[in-house]
Amino acid sequence: EITYGDWSSDVCSSDLLIELFGADAAPPELHAATERMAEFCRAISAPDRKTFFVGDNNTRLDLRPVLTTAGRVLNRPDLLATATDRRNFAFPDGGFYSFRSGWDASAVWLGLHCGPEPIEPFHSQFDRGTFELMAYGRLLMTDPGVFNYKSGDPGREAFRRTATHQCLTLNGANAARAGKCLQWVADDGAGNAVLTVENASYPGLTHRRTVFFVQRRWFVLVDEALGDATGDLDLHFQLTPGPAVIDPATKTARTDFPEGGNVLIWTAPDSPVTLEPEEA
């Protein structure tokens, strides 16, 4: 029996892996479960090898020490990521999905979360369908993270709400947390991937999002509001902190870093929507 006092810093540590598998007594069930956890960490990691920032995270953890140690102690060199050509991954039971152009630090990557109702609601935000985007070494669209762990605190609730994520809202209210996967195509043979998820967001309204990863270069999002509910529909997108240009006339929004990667969010100029800036 191994007991750690500080769960947050030790549960995914390389020291724990060494201690568990340094002895011959590690049961096969533990070995298999740990392999699956390591595979998950590799699959959803951003190009900088840090964790997908979702839910009650307060930092983007560096996964490289864990993956390096896991590859060695589990005899799995493919856990080092660069040893495989597979790029896109789906974990529909938990609601985690990962697209990437490659395994290098400048890769285009999108991590999306659309999971079922949470077993432990306190640490689960109202974020079904949200995503993070990283490309060319820069995080370009981001999750808000967590303000604190004090239940009911106004600051905490402001960070958790649906409108601070890459999500659809009805009348600005928080959406339910009831996501599921309808379609997953990791690779169609031509370098494209497709994901369709939906969330039973409100009574009378389901948000369905389809993500097309085209030629491992850019993304097309098709968002559908399905049902007979009425009210104000808003689709929110969160740019990473920094310079930005938001142009309601052309219905475009983009980051405006003078060097390195930027992202452009674009919709057809004749689409029946308005574009408005809001505080993240």
Side-chain angles (χ1 to χ4, degrees), residues 133 140-141 239 245 251-255 262-266:
L133 174 69
L140 294 168
M141 301 179 73
L239 300 177
V245 176
K251 300 180 181 178
T252 61
R254 62 180 172 86
T255 57
N262 281 287
V263 62
L264 168 69
I265 303 172
W266 175 90

Side-chain angles (χ1 to χ4, degrees), residues 5 11 15 23 37 41 50 62 68 111 151 165 172 190 193 197 205 208 217 228 230 247 249 251 266:
V11 70
D15 290 342
M37 288 191 288
C41 288
K50 292 184 179 179
D62 190 343
T68 300
S151 180
H165 294 82
V197 295
L205 191 153
R208 179 179 296 170
R217 293 180 57 203
D228 57 7
T230 59
D247 188 350
K251 300 180 181 178
W266 175 90

Side-chain angles (χ1 to χ4, degrees), residues 39 42-44 84 86-91 96-100 103 184 186:
E39 289 168 353
R42 175 185 61 125
I44 67 166
T84 177
R86 189 179 178 192
R87 296 177 174 90
N88 305 316
F89 297 86
F91 300 89
F96 291 91
Y97 307 88
S98 181
F99 302 87
R100 72 182 73 240
W103 291 99
W184 169 251

Side-chain angles (χ1 to χ4, degrees), residues 5-269:
D6 186 355
W7 178 88
S8 62
S9 63
D10 289 319
V11 70
C12 292
S13 73
S14 55
D15 290 342
L16 177 58
L17 285 170
I18 293 172
E19 190 167 352
L20 287 175
F21 294 97
D24 296 331
E29 295 84 0
L30 181 60
H31 191 283
T34 305
E35 279 194 284
R36 291 196 299 272
M37 288 191 288
E39 289 168 353
F40 175 78
C41 288
R42 175 185 61 125
I44 67 166
S45 63
D48 59 1
R49 296 298 178 269
K50 292 184 179 179
T51 50
F52 178 20
F53 201 42
V54 64
D56 260 2
N57 288 339
N58 55 20
T59 186
R60 300 181 71 241
L61 297 175
D62 190 343
L63 293 169
R64 287 173 294 183
V66 173
L67 293 175
T68 300
T69 304
R72 178 168 59 84
V73 302
L74 301 175
N75 194 27
R76 287 282 306 274
D78 60 307
L79 292 176
L80 302 179
T82 54
T84 177
D85 288 333
R86 189 179 178 192
R87 296 177 174 90
N88 305 316
F89 297 86
F91 300 89
D93 289 345
F96 291 91
Y97 307 88
S98 181
F99 302 87
R100 72 182 73 240
S101 62
W103 291 99
D104 56 289
S106 62
V108 176
W109 170 85
L110 185 147
L112 184 144
H113 177 236
C114 191
E117 293 186 15
I119 297 174
E120 204 296 289
F122 180 80
H123 290 295
S124 177
Q125 297 186 353
F126 302 95
D127 64 355
R128 300 313 190 253
T130 195
F131 61 86
E132 284 200 310
L133 174 69
M134 187 173 187
Y136 314 112
R138 173 174 287 143
L139 190 63
L140 294 168
M141 301 179 73
T142 184
D143 185 272
V146 57
F147 183 73
N148 63 31
Y149 293 115
K150 184 179 179 181
S151 180
D153 183 272
R156 173 178 172 80
E157 296 308 314
F159 275 65
R160 299 178 74 215
R161 61 195 173 98
T162 306
T164 61
H165 294 82
Q166 330 281 0
C167 291
L168 180 143
T169 60
L170 176 65
N171 296 325
N174 284 335
R177 296 168 288 188
K180 63 180 180 179
C181 180
L182 301 183
Q183 175 185 214
W184 169 251
V185 179
D187 192 328
D188 67 354
N192 307 303
V194 184
L195 168 68
T196 302
V197 295
E198 69 177 26
N199 185 53
S201 301
Y202 305 94
L205 191 153
T206 294
H207 176 207
R208 179 179 296 170
R209 169 167 283 173
T210 300
V211 180
F212 297 91
F213 189 24
V214 184
Q215 297 296 301
R216 301 189 182 121
R217 293 180 57 203
W218 46 283
F219 295 93
V220 175
L221 271 63
V222 178
D223 287 289
E224 301 171 85
L226 308 174
D228 57 7
T230 59
D232 293 329
L233 276 180
D234 294 296
L235 193 57
H236 307 266
F237 292 106
Q238 315 294 336
L239 300 177
T240 195
V245 176
I246 299 174
D247 188 350
T250 60
K251 300 180 181 178
T252 61
R254 62 180 172 86
T255 57
D256 194 31
F257 295 100
E259 297 179 352
N262 281 287
V263 62
L264 168 69
I265 303 172
W266 175 90
T267 188

